Structures are given as structure tokens and as C-alpha cells.
């Protein structure tokens, strides 16, 4: 075997660069805080990249592709759960977690909430979790290199483990972060390139889905649906990812809540996109090589489809995925061992410890331990489940409850933990092997029920610990107060009072172009309607009435200055109802009535972007979802069963334009809060200023984005009403 061909040289260069930048970045570390969280020195982009590099593990690449290869599109269910978990972090965890300003690890937070013993328990569980994950990644490293380069897996595991331990132990989080960024940049080149090449050899996405066996398109009737539903529950309803030591470590690295929230919003967009590319690689591999083993799909595609040099780059990309996760967990393992397990023992005995040196030595020793475990293991997925088997059930609910401000105590935590262990042992004995994966969610559920039941019994309800600012110097004290569950839930129920308050708050914050919107939509409803031809003339009268109602609603917006004074408090709610009716409801109804004509597909793009411009992003999500749902109910009641005989190309175009126009709109043209400080801002807050501002916004942004859209889809509309022109 030639160990100095172009592919090997690319791999050598990647490893050398990783080691060099890792060692250089870790120089000059002075204390354990800098070693653990880098003194919160990193910006949003760096934090985002290191989070993505850590979160996208080697198993997510291999199992993602092999999962869709073997089971079909049902594999997408857990990824939906991951996105829900990421958004949960963004909205609920990031505003609260930085109150633990001195914390370096998850164990520190548990110690603040439940005492020193709880910190040690969290440290032991975190150590177990991290070692399992490092071992899993090293095993994946050995399997990948042996399959692609023919190098013996055991030697790859040993060399790779030593390599990771060198820079991870020396530079801590500073070395890990900078190498994560470098590795992610390699990864973001390789995976899209691999997906593009695989799809090109198949003939495109259309050919992929047209060639799949029907069983690969099943979801709810799939034989493994319960397994993937379990994974969905673990990552959404039960967000066990918060108990991952390196993931929690990156939460503590944030400078402020807004930085962390922005990070998670970016991740919520990138993660599903990346996973979609991986799944497309697996589906393309199924069409190209239906007889090979599922676990070999990515190595086989690299071997068969990539030329010399490209193969080495792809291998470097896979190494980047594996190493960026392994070094993060290795760093976290050494840190929690030194900080959460060893240091408390020294503190209780009145002894001093060089915590930085201890963390470095611990990381190196744990790296060797992970090598031994990887050499003895045969299943990456088994190690992955082993990692969350105890940490998630024992820590998730107590940790989230404490972060969110629930009044917590040691007795509740210990009682819930003992109950959970008992349930886990019993369930593991009771369930057959085929349903063993249900043990983790059942254990988590038992922990939550026990924990919150104990809390309610002890406090006679839910007691919330609320921080109050008592002095100008911002000295914080804790005040306890109780709330009933019903009173708390009432705040989120769509009662008339809550709906009125929601609309007023949103209009006060973002404004509303009542008159301009009314004029524009009233003209659109009246004039073009009679010039159109219809494929279903029997629905003409019904649609005419629907458009007439829309014109009346818009007319009422135009004459809002003439409204009686007692009706003005209801104007914001009327505004949202009118937008709901005129945009998502009416245009979705036209789309269904014309059975998805190409003109109405184009109208979907215009409606989506228009809705993003006139309301805030949360109202956009609510109104769009509600409008589509109401149309489906209305259509089936008045017109009969919904039938959309769309070709695959039109389905693809519809989904593609909706997703990307929504994404572009929310990122670049969404409505932003009004800040009225200067004279010009005060003018913008007046009726005339608001209408002028909206007109300029519509003219510039809508034209720019729609010009780009029409330019790229003109050929489809003019030459092929039923599909794409490739």
C-alpha cells in the first residue's frame, strides 16, 4: 500500500494543521476558568461553529446516511426533535442560564441548586457520558479509516486517541474551539460536495424519489416507527441534550443571553439543512448501490465516485466530524473529573490542588481510557445510548427546573433520583430486547413525575424563585411566590382577552400599515378578479363572495379614522384577522381550488414574503399555520376532498420556494421593533410616516427579492408547467 499518495498526503496535512493550531491556541493558559470556558472571549460566530462541530457527531453522519438507506425517510423524525430542542434552548434556557456566572461546568450549576453531593453526582454522570462519547467517536474513526484507506482500525483508534489527547489536554477549551472552527470549515465543504456528486450520478433529486421503493417512503406505518419516535421524544419533549457536558459548557461560554440566543437561532437553521444533505447522500446511495450494507454507504460512495484528491478531501471531512466531537467530549471529561469530582474531595479535607494541572493530566488519562474502551467495543450506537442512559433520566428535569427558577431542594432531587434508578432497573428487566430503547424515556418520565409531585406536595403548589433588584448596586435577593398551574396556563390559552392583549402588544411594538395594506389588497381583490379565467367555474360564486368579504375588511382598515371610539381598542385584533383572511387564507384557498396551478404556486411566494413584511415573525408563524389549517377545513366542508395532482417537480418547487423565501424573509426583510427617539423616528411613528415607511419597504425589498425569484424560475413557468427543465 502506498502511504504517500495524494489522498494520504491530504489526510496528513489535515492532521498536522489541526495539531499545530490546537497547540498554538492553547498557549498561555493561566487558570482553570480560562481552560474551561476561555474567559467568555469568543464571539457569536465562533461559538456557533464550535457548537455545530461538537453537536454533529460522527454517528450522526454514518447513522444518518445508513439510517435512510436501511429504513427510508422515517429517519427524519429524530432530527425534527433536535430542532425543537434547539429552539427550546434559544427561547427558555439562554435567558436563564447565565445567572450562574461563576459556573464552569454542569456540576457547578447542580451544586448551586442541590448542594455539594449533587455536584459530585453530576460530575460522575458527566464523566461517564463523556467517556462513552469519546469512545464512540474513536470507534467510528477506526471503522472509517479502515474502510477508506485500509489502515488497521485498532492502530487508527490508538493513534487518533493519542492525537486528540495531546492538544485537548494541553490547551483545554481554547485548543478545542479553534480546532473545531477549522474542522467545521472542512466539513461544510465536504458534505455538500459529496451530496452534489451522489445526486448527480443518480440524475437529480427527482430521480432519487421516483426510484425509491414504496416502503422507504413510509413513516407512521414503518416497522421501526416506535424506535425513531423514541429518539424524537428524547430530543424534543425530553431535551436530554442539556445534560451533555460539552453542550452545557458552550452555554456557559456565552457573554450574554442575546449572543446565546442568536447562536441557537443560527444552529436551528443550519442543523436540519446539514442533516437533509446527509439523508440525500443515503437515499442516492440506495438508488446507486441497493445491495451493499447500510453501514458502508458513505465509504462506498467515496470509494466509487470520487477521484484521487477528492477522496482524500472527503476523508478529511469525515475526520473533522469525528475529531471535533471527540475533542470536545474529551476536554469536558477531564474538566468534570478535576473540577466536579477531585476538587470537592480536596476542599472537604482542607487541601489545596493545582486544578489546571489536574485537569490536563485527567484529560490525558481519560483519553487513554477511551482508547481501551473503543478497542473493546463493536457498536457505535450502543455507546451512544450508553451515554444518555443514566445522565438524561437523573439530571434533565432537576437541571431544567432549577435553571427556569423553580424552588428546588436536595430531598426532592434525591428522592426523584432513587425512584428513577428503581424504575430503570425494573424496566430493563421487564422490557424485551426489541423494546429496550423505551427504557430511557420511561425513566425520564418517572423522574419528572416524582420530582414535580414531591415539589407540589412540599410547597402546596408550584413555587417559583424570582430574582428581584433591590438596590441600585444590583444586589439580588430571592423572593418566593406560588402560582397555580391553571393560572399559569391561562396566560397561554387563546382566550379573547389574551388575543386582544397579544394584538395590541405586537402592533405597539412593530406598528401596522393599516391604510396602505387596505388600499393595496382592496384593489387587488376587485380589479384583477374579473379578468381571470377559471378551471373550476362551479366555484366562481363562492370565490367571488370570499373576495368581496376580503375587500370589505380592507375597506374597514382604510376608514379606520372613522371608527367609533369604543371600537378602537379592537383595531389591532381586527388588523391581524384581516391579514389572516387576506393573505394565507384566501391565497391558500385559491391554490387548492386551481389544484396547484403554476400561477398560484408563484402566488404562494408573494404571499409568504408579503406576510413576513407586514407582521412580526411570531405573528407570521401563527397566522400562516392557522390560515392553512382553516382553509383545509373550509375546503373539505364546502368543496369536498382535497386533491392536488402535482408532479414531483411542482411539489419540489412549492416546498423549495416556501422554505427559502421564508428563511430569506425572516433573515432580511422581517418587520422589526419601532424605536421612537429622534424627530425622524417620531415622524415614522405617525400614520403618514408609517405608511411611507411601509411603501418604501415594500417597493425596495419586495421588488429585489421577487426579481431574483422570477429570474430563476422564469424558465420553469414559461416552458414546462409540469416539471423542471434540467
Amino acid at each position: 500500500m502506498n502511504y504517500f499518495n495524494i489522498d494520504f498526503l491530504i489526510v496528513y496535512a489535515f492532521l498536522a494543521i489541526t495539531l499545530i493550531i490546537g497547540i498554538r491556541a492553547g498557549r498561555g493558559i493561566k487558570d482553570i476558568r480560562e481552560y474551561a470556558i476561555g474567559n467568555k472571549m469568543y464571539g457569536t460566530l465562533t461559538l456557533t461553529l464550535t457548537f455545530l462541530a461538537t453537536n454533529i457527531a460522527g454517528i450522526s453522519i454514518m447513522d444518518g446516511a445508513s439510517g435512510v438507506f436501511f429504513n427510508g425517510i422515517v429517519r427524519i423524525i429524530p432530527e425534527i426533535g433536535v430542532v425543537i430542542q434547539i429552539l427550546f434552548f434559544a427561547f427558555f434556557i439562554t435567558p436563564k442560564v447565565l445567572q450562574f456566572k461563576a459556573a464552569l461546568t454542569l456540576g457547578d450549576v447542580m451544586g448551586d441548586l442541590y448542594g455539594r453531593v449533587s455536584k459530585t453526582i453530576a460530575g460522575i454522570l458527566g464523566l461517564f457520558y463523556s467517556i462513552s462519547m469519546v469512545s464512540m467517536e474513536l470507534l467510528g474513526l477506526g471503522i472509517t479509516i479502515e474502510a477508506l484507506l485500509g489502515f488497521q482500525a485498532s492502530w487508527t483508534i490508538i493513534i487518533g486517541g493519542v492525537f486528540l489527547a495531546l492538544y485537548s489536554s494541553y490547551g483545554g477549551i481554547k485548543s478545542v474551539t479553534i480546532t473545531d472552527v477549522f474542522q467545521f470549515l472542512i466539513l461544510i465543504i465536504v458534505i455538500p460536495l459529496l451530496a452534489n456528486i451522489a445526486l448527480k450520478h443518480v440524475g437529480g433529486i427527482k430521480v432519487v424519489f421516483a426510484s425509491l421503493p414504496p416502503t422507504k417512503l413510509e413513516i407512521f406505518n414503518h416497522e421501526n416507527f416506535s424506535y425513531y419516535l423514541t429518539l424524537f421524544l428524547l430530543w424534543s419533549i425530553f431535551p436530554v441534550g442539556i445534560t451533555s457536558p460539552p453542550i452545557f459548557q458552550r452555554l456557559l461560554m456565552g457573554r450574554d443571553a442575546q449572543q446565546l440566543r442568536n447562536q441557537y437561532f443560527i444552529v436551528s437553521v443550519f442543523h436540519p439543512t446539514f442533516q437533509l444533505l446527509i439523508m440525500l447522500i443515503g437515499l442516492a446511495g440506495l438508488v446507486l448501490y441497493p445491495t451493499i450494507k447500510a453501514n458502508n454507504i458513505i465509504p462506498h460512495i467515496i470509494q466509487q465516485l470520487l477521484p484521487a484528491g477528492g477522496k482524500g478531501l472527503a476523508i478529511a471531512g469525515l475526520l473533522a466530524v469525528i475529531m471535533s466531537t471527540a475533542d470536545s467530549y474529551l476536554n469536558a471529561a477531564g474538566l468534570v473529573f478535576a473540577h466536579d469530582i477531585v476538587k470537592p474531595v480536596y476542599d472537604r479535607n482542607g487541601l489545596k490542588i493545582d486544578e489546571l494541572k489536574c485537569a490536563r493530566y485527567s484529560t490525558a488519562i481519560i483519553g487513554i481510557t477511551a482508547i481501551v474502551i473503543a478497542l473493546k467495543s463493536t457498536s457505535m450506537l450502543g455507546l451512544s445510548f450508553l451515554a444518555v442512559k443514566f445522565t438524561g433520566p437523573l439530571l434533565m428535569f432537576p437541571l431544567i427546573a432549577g435553571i427556569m427558577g423553580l424552588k428546588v431542594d436536595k430531598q426532592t432531587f434525591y428522592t426523584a433520583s432513587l425512584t428513577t434508578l428503581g424504575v430503570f432497573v425494573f424496566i430493563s428487566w421487564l422490557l424485551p430486547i426489541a423494546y429496550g430503547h423505551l427504557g430511557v424515556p420511561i425513566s425520564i418520565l418517572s423522574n419528572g413525575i416524582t420530582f414535580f409531585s414531591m415539589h407540589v406536595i412540599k410547597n402546596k403548589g408550584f413555587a417559583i424563585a424570582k430574582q428581584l433588584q433591590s438596590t441600585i448596586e444590583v444586589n439580588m435577593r430571592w423572593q418566593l411566590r406560588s402560582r397555580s398551574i391553571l393560572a399559569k396556563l391561562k396566560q397561554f390559552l387563546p382566550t379573547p382577552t389574551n388575543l386582544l392583549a397579544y394584538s395590541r402588544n405586537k402592533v405597539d411594538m412593530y406598528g401596522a400599515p393599516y391604510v396602505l395594506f387596505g388600499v393595496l389588497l382592496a384593489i387587488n381583490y376587485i380589479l384583477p378578479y374579473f379578468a381571470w379565467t377559471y378551471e373550476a367555474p362551479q366555484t366562481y360564486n363562492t370565490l367571488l363572495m370570499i373576495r368581496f368579504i376580503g375587500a370589505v375588511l380592507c375597506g374597514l382598515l382604510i376608514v379606520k379614522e372613522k371608527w367609533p371610539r369604543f371600537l378602537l381598542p379592537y383595531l389591532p385584533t381586527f388588523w391581524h384577522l384581516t391579514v389572516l383572511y387576506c393573505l394565507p387564507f384566501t391565497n391558500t384557498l385559491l391554490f387548492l381550488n386551481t389544484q396547484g396551478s403554476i400561477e398560484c404556486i408563484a402566488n404562494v411566494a408573494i404571499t409568504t414574503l408579503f406576510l413576513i413584511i407586514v407582521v412580526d415573525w411570531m405573528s407570521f408563524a401563527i397566522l400562516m399555520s392557522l390560515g392553512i389549517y382553516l382553509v383545509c377545513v373550509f375546503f373539505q366542508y364546502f368543496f369536498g376532498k382535497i386533491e392536488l395532482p402535482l408532479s414531483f417537480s411542482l411539489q419540489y418547487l412549492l416546498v423549495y420556494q416556501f422554505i427559502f423565501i421564508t428563511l430569506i424573509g425572516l433573515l432580511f426583510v422581517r418587520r422589526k421593533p419601532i424605536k421612537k427617539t429622534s424627530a425622524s423616528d417620531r415622524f415614522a411613528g405617525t400614520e403618514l410616516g408609517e405608511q411611507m415607511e411601509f411603501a418604501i419597504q415594500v417597493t425596495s425589498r419586495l421588488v429585489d427579492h421577487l426579481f431574483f425569484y422570477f429570474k430563476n424560475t422564469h424558465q420553469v413557468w414559461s416552458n414546462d408547467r409540469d416539471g423542471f427543465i434540467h
Side-chain angles (χ1 to χ4, degrees):
M1 180 179 294
N2 182 9
Y3 292 106
F4 295 96
N5 61 35
I6 184 64
D7 296 320
F8 273 95
L9 291 176
I10 291 174
V11 173
Y12 297 154
F14 167 77
L15 294 175
I17 294 173
T18 299
L19 183 61
I20 291 171
I21 64 176
I23 296 297
R24 287 182 61 86
R27 294 181 302 176
I29 292 180
K30 299 178 178 62
D31 54 40
I32 190 64
R33 185 173 182 83
E34 187 176 5
Y35 186 86
I37 59 175
N39 287 329
K40 299 180 181 287
M41 62 180 288
Y42 298 109
T44 303
L45 180 60
T46 302
L47 276 182
T48 302
L49 295 184
T50 187
F51 179 91
L52 285 167
T54 300
N55 197 47
I56 301 173
I59 192 172
S60 68
I61 302 290
M62 307 302 289
D63 184 63
S66 64
V68 294
F69 183 95
F70 187 77
N71 292 304
I73 63 173
V74 70
R75 174 61 179 78
I76 200 173
I77 292 177
E79 303 307 328
I80 299 173
V82 173
V83 175
I84 294 174
Q85 177 184 175
I86 292 169
L87 293 175
F88 172 79
F89 278 29
F91 286 109
F92 299 104
I93 299 299
T94 57
K96 304 283 188 178
V97 72
L98 293 182
Q99 63 183 295
F100 303 96
K101 296 181 180 179
L104 303 182
T105 63
L106 184 152
D108 278 339
V109 175
M110 291 296 294
D112 288 345
L113 295 171
Y114 302 101
R116 291 184 303 176
V117 177
S118 302
K119 175 178 179 176
T120 303
I121 292 174
I124 294 172
L125 292 172
L127 178 64
F128 180 74
Y129 188 121
S130 299
I131 291 177
S132 298
M133 291 298 293
V134 176
S135 302
M136 179 191 75
E137 295 300 324
L138 288 177
L139 177 60
L141 179 67
I143 294 172
T144 301
I145 295 300
E146 185 174 51
L148 292 172
L149 295 177
F151 200 76
Q152 191 173 351
S154 58
W155 280 108
T156 302
I157 291 172
I158 294 171
I159 295 172
V162 172
F163 185 87
L164 290 169
L166 280 175
Y167 70 82
S168 297
S169 60
Y170 174 74
I173 195 63
K174 295 179 73 174
S175 292
V176 169
T177 298
I178 194 64
T179 53
D180 279 355
V181 172
F182 168 68
Q183 290 157 356
F184 182 80
L185 294 177
I186 300 295
L187 171 66
I188 203 173
I189 294 172
V190 169
I191 297 301
L193 181 64
L194 194 60
N196 182 68
I197 292 174
L199 290 173
K200 181 179 179 181
H201 278 78
V202 174
I205 294 178
K206 180 178 180 179
V207 176
V208 169
F209 282 93
S211 305
L212 290 176
T215 55
K216 302 299 182 182
L217 300 176
E218 292 180 351
I219 295 181
F220 300 106
N221 295 326
H222 197 280
E223 60 181 353
N224 289 329
F225 174 72
S226 65
Y227 170 74
Y228 286 113
L229 181 62
T230 301
L231 294 180
F232 170 83
L233 294 175
L234 284 176
W235 300 116
S236 57
I237 298 177
F238 303 140
V240 295
I242 196 172
T243 62
S244 167
I247 297 300
F248 199 86
Q249 184 182 21
R250 276 139 186 83
L251 280 170
L252 298 176
M253 289 169 64
R255 290 196 292 260
D256 54 63
Q258 188 59 47
Q259 183 191 42
L260 287 175
R261 178 171 289 189
N262 292 339
Q263 168 195 327
Y264 279 100
F265 283 149
I266 296 172
V267 171
S268 69
V269 174
F270 181 87
H271 180 87
T273 304
F274 188 84
Q275 292 298 329
L276 179 62
L277 290 175
I278 295 171
M279 292 181 187
L280 287 175
I281 294 173
L283 293 175
L286 175 62
V287 176
L288 290 170
Y289 313 108
T291 59
I292 67 171
K293 292 183 178 180
N295 291 335
N296 295 332
I297 183 60
I298 286 186
H300 193 79
I301 288 176
I302 292 174
Q303 291 278 24
Q304 297 297 320
L305 302 185
L306 297 185
K311 177 181 173 182
L313 182 62
I315 295 171
L318 293 180
L319 289 178
V321 175
I322 295 170
M323 292 174 61
S324 60
T325 301
D327 60 14
S328 298
Y329 277 95
L330 184 56
N331 168 253
L335 179 63
V336 298
F337 181 77
H339 187 70
D340 296 339
I341 300 174
V342 176
K343 187 175 184 296
V345 175
Y346 273 72
D347 290 343
R348 282 196 294 270
N349 291 281
L351 302 174
K352 291 185 178 181
I353 181 176
D354 187 339
E355 199 173 352
L356 177 58
K357 185 180 293 185
C358 179
R360 282 174 166 163
Y361 288 150
S362 299
T363 303
I365 294 171
I366 290 169
I368 296 173
T369 304
I371 291 173
V372 175
I373 295 174
L375 291 172
K376 299 292 184 180
S377 301
T378 57
S379 171
M380 292 178 64
L381 197 59
L383 286 170
S384 176
F385 262 109
L386 189 64
V388 300
K389 186 174 288 187
F390 298 104
T391 309
L394 293 176
L395 297 183
M396 191 200 77
F397 275 118
L399 179 62
I400 292 176
I403 291 175
M404 297 300 294
L406 198 70
K407 181 187 176 184
V408 294
D409 61 88
K410 300 177 184 178
Q411 184 180 0
T412 301
F413 172 68
Y414 295 143
T415 303
S417 297
L418 291 174
T419 303
T420 303
L421 288 174
V423 169
F424 180 79
V425 172
F426 178 74
I427 289 296
S428 300
W429 171 76
L430 182 66
L431 288 176
I433 296 177
Y435 295 95
H437 56 273
L438 297 176
V440 173
I442 292 174
S443 300
I444 293 175
L445 187 61
S446 68
N447 180 272
I449 293 173
T450 306
F451 182 88
F452 290 114
S453 297
M454 285 283 296
H455 174 85
V456 170
I457 292 171
K458 293 188 67 174
N459 297 281
K460 298 180 180 179
F462 281 97
I464 307 297
K466 182 180 180 182
Q467 282 188 324
L468 298 176
Q469 183 173 323
S470 57
T471 66
I472 297 177
E473 289 81 14
V474 198
N475 295 322
M476 310 302 291
R477 63 185 177 87
W478 292 98
Q479 184 187 60
L480 300 179
R481 58 191 179 91
S482 297
R483 289 184 180 179
S484 68
I485 300 176
L486 184 60
K488 187 70 175 177
L489 289 177
K490 280 184 177 179
Q491 298 179 6
F492 301 98
L493 294 177
T495 61
T497 302
N498 288 342
L499 292 176
L500 289 171
Y502 174 86
S503 293
R504 289 171 191 163
N505 291 337
K506 292 300 181 182
V507 170
D508 288 343
M509 184 178 297
Y510 295 94
Y514 298 122
V515 176
L516 190 59
F517 179 87
V519 171
L520 181 64
L521 267 293
I523 294 174
N524 177 68
Y525 273 134
I526 296 172
L527 294 183
Y529 182 76
F530 301 102
W532 289 1
T533 58
Y534 294 91
E535 299 177 11
Q538 65 273 16
T539 63
Y540 181 90
N541 291 332
T542 303
L543 293 176
L544 182 62
M545 179 58 65
I546 288 172
R547 297 181 72 87
F548 174 75
I549 294 172
V552 171
L553 294 176
C554 292
L556 291 174
L557 284 180
I558 296 172
V559 298
K560 71 179 185 67
E561 297 295 339
K562 304 297 183 181
W563 280 34
R565 186 178 298 273
F566 73 92
L567 289 179
L568 289 179
Y570 303 98
L571 179 59
T573 304
F574 180 80
W575 154 253
H576 281 129
L577 291 175
T578 302
V579 172
L580 168 68
Y581 183 89
C582 294
L583 292 181
F585 181 87
T586 302
N587 287 284
T588 305
L589 183 61
L590 290 174
F591 175 79
L592 294 179
N593 183 61
T594 59
Q595 295 187 331
S597 68
I598 196 68
E599 294 86 354
C600 284
I601 290 179
N603 204 36
V604 169
I606 299 172
T607 300
T608 303
L609 193 57
F610 196 12
L611 185 59
I612 292 172
I613 292 174
V614 297
V615 296
D616 61 283
W617 69 268
M618 183 175 291
S619 299
F620 162 78
I622 294 172
L623 295 178
M624 180 63 78
S625 303
L626 184 59
I628 294 174
Y629 171 76
L630 292 175
V631 165
C632 292
V633 175
F634 177 86
F635 192 92
Q636 292 191 67
Y637 184 80
F638 285 97
F639 300 124
K641 184 179 179 181
I642 297 175
E643 294 182 357
L644 286 175
L646 299 178
S647 66
F648 175 81
S649 296
L650 287 181
Q651 294 178 36
Y652 179 82
L653 174 63
L654 179 64
V655 174
Y656 174 86
Q657 73 172 15
F658 178 78
I659 291 175
F660 282 93
I661 286 182
T662 300
L663 180 61
I664 291 170
L666 291 177
L667 289 176
F668 299 107
V669 300
R670 71 183 187 277
R671 202 164 181 83
K672 297 180 180 179
I674 299 173
K675 297 180 180 179
K676 303 173 185 177
T677 54
S678 64
S680 60
D681 290 331
R682 288 193 294 272
F683 171 73
T686 64
E687 179 68 24
L688 177 60
E690 189 175 85
Q691 308 309 323
M692 291 179 63
E693 178 187 13
F694 182 75
I696 294 171
Q697 186 181 49
V698 171
T699 303
S700 60
R701 294 179 176 177
L702 188 60
V703 169
D704 288 345
H705 288 280
L706 289 182
F707 177 78
F708 176 80
Y709 169 76
F710 283 119
K711 180 180 178 181
N712 284 275
T713 55
H714 175 267
Q715 189 175 8
V716 176
W717 298 346
S718 59
N719 298 330
D720 186 9
R721 292 173 59 90
D722 296 320
F724 284 111
I725 300 297
H726 293 286

